[in-house]
Amino acid sequence: MLTAVADLAEEVAPATEAGRALAPELVAAIRDAGLFRLGVPAALGGPQRAPGETLAAAETIARADASAGWCVSIAATSSLLGAYLPAEGGTEVFGDPRSVAVGVWAPRGRGTEADGGVVLSGQWPFCSGIGHADWLFAGFVVSGVMKVAALPRASLEVLDTWHTTGLRGTGSHDAVAREVFVPSHRILSVMDGPLDGGALYRFPIFGFFALSVAAAAMGNAFGALGDFVELAGRRTPLGSRRTMAERTSTQAAVAESTASLRAARAYFHGAVEEAWEAAQGGEPVPVQTRASLRLAATHATRTAREVVSKLYDLAGSAAIYDGAPLQRRFRDAHTASAHFQINAASYELAGKVLLGVEAQTGQL
């Protein structure tokens, strides 16, 4: 099933890019395969998959098309919040086995307390996958406290803001709520932790979010490597009798790129497994382990960008045209690495933990 979805994602990637949203047939296939809901608790009828499985699935889809892998990552991470909602809210949001939620947890909204809930207004950018979502998990502040509300897609206005360099197919438009009433059973606190006590929900959720971005970036880079190998085997540069694959510079670049990506991926999954093992116990996952997740995610994403950039340069004029797979891979890699969870500044937090310097670790 996963392979079939990935094959379809690759086939319709041009349509996804042109439409600035996942192609409809791809949305249907991902929904049918349950890939948008991998973190939904078993108590709500969900698969409640281990973190490594979810991240590997997102990477596989991203090898075919980064936008598709990104949307799987965002929805799967958002589906974890089913464990944070009161039972009535969890059933309302995820009770339908085809229901899809996406999320922007940053507190971009303002809530006013009302009888039985809050009245919420705000504008949230970067709502990846909002076009195919049924719900948006939206961060807001009420009485000085940060919360997250589950908002029906129908209650929102979606602004056509996603005109970007890369990841165009994610359809990450702004969403606006204007005085929307949200009942208490659809309000949660990410900071307070889950109501469900399973190991999956003890796994650091902010680390999971960063890892999901990195999984899409890694998949994109491995896809770029495959695209380049195919190109190198058939392209003979002007003035040369040898294909690109027969050049020593190409051979060295492909070998080095492969080693870099595989090393980053090994560190990534090693950090995931360490945190997953810690989450099996009753104690919180240690700060050092949580910091390793963010470091591994940042390193993987930025290594992926470096590899794609190198391959793009090596491909020369073959990569510069609209429609060239490596051009899209290049743009997607640079857009992914701009995300605040894995940008260059995120190294600093992990570095503080490693050095034993005082650090704000609440979002690890």
Side-chain angles (χ1 to χ4, degrees):
M1 179 72 77
L2 182 61
T3 300
V5 173
D7 289 344
L8 178 60
E10 183 174 16
E11 178 185 337
V12 301
T16 289
E17 167 113 344
R20 293 184 299 123
L22 300 189
E25 61 267 44
L26 178 58
V27 171
I30 295 173
R31 197 186 292 262
D32 289 345
L35 296 174
F36 287 136
R37 295 167 48 91
L38 293 173
V40 174
L44 296 174
Q48 197 169 323
R49 293 289 182 85
E53 294 180 49
T54 295
L55 295 165
E59 181 193 327
T60 296
I61 302 299
R63 288 185 183 221
D65 176 36
S67 287
W70 184 280
C71 286
V72 167
S73 284
I74 295 300
T77 306
S78 297
S79 72
L80 296 167
L81 296 186
Y84 288 68
L85 284 167
E88 183 180 355
T91 299
E92 185 176 356
V93 175
F94 291 113
D96 182 344
R98 296 182 64 77
S99 178
V100 175
V102 298
V104 177
W105 308 344
R108 300 277 188 166
R110 292 292 179 268
T112 302
E113 292 184 358
D115 186 24
V118 299
V119 175
L120 178 59
S121 295
Q123 181 169 334
W124 294 267
F126 310 119
C127 297
S128 298
I130 189 66
H132 58 253
D134 303 292
W135 298 87
L136 174 70
F137 283 111
F140 70 100
V141 175
V142 58
S143 301
V145 179
M146 290 189 295
K147 298 284 187 178
V148 174
L151 301 173
R153 165 66 180 78
S155 70
L156 301 167
E157 178 186 1
V158 177
L159 306 181
D160 186 8
T161 54
W162 192 243
H163 299 271
T164 57
T165 302
L167 293 174
R168 294 175 180 172
T170 62
S172 303
H173 302 290
D174 286 20
V176 179
R178 295 185 176 88
E179 297 189 342
V180 175
F181 175 73
V182 187
S184 297
H185 65 261
R186 282 200 269 110
I187 297 173
L188 61 93
S189 171
V190 176
M191 302 304 294
D192 288 348
L195 302 179
D196 186 301
L200 176 58
Y201 310 107
R202 289 192 296 272
F203 190 92
I205 194 165
F206 290 110
F208 206 141
F209 187 23
L211 293 162
S212 71
V213 172
M218 282 196 303
N220 181 59
F222 277 109
L225 185 58
D227 291 339
F228 180 82
V229 168
E230 191 276 330
L231 174 68
R234 61 177 169 77
R235 184 169 186 260
T236 302
L238 185 65
S240 175
R241 295 182 178 179
R242 296 183 298 167
T243 64
M244 289 176 62
E246 294 173 308
R247 292 184 166 189
T248 56
S249 58
T250 301
Q251 295 157 6
V254 167
E256 184 179 357
S257 296
T258 300
S260 294
L261 283 177
R262 289 183 178 178
R265 190 176 189 275
Y267 176 39
F268 176 96
H269 282 287
V272 170
E273 286 305 311
E274 180 184 354
W276 181 232
E277 183 177 350
Q280 309 296 316
E283 298 298 319
V285 176
V287 170
Q288 293 82 358
T289 303
R290 288 185 274 140
S292 291
L293 292 178
R294 286 292 296 277
L295 181 56
T298 300
H299 175 66
T301 303
R302 305 193 77 77
T303 298
R305 187 184 72 168
E306 292 167 7
V307 165
V308 176
S309 295
K310 178 187 294 185
L311 298 173
Y312 176 84
D313 285 343
L314 200 58
S317 61
I320 66 174
Y321 290 95
D322 288 341
L326 276 172
Q327 191 219 62
R328 188 183 77 245
R329 298 289 192 183
F330 177 84
R331 291 185 284 103
D332 290 347
H334 282 261
T335 301
S337 65
H339 195 284
F340 80 97
Q341 284 275 8
I342 42 71
N343 62 21
S346 65
Y347 277 127
E348 297 172 11
L349 179 56
K352 287 179 179 179
V353 174
L354 290 168
L355 290 164
V357 176
E358 184 177 353
Q360 297 294 326
T361 59
Q363 293 196 11
L364 282 177

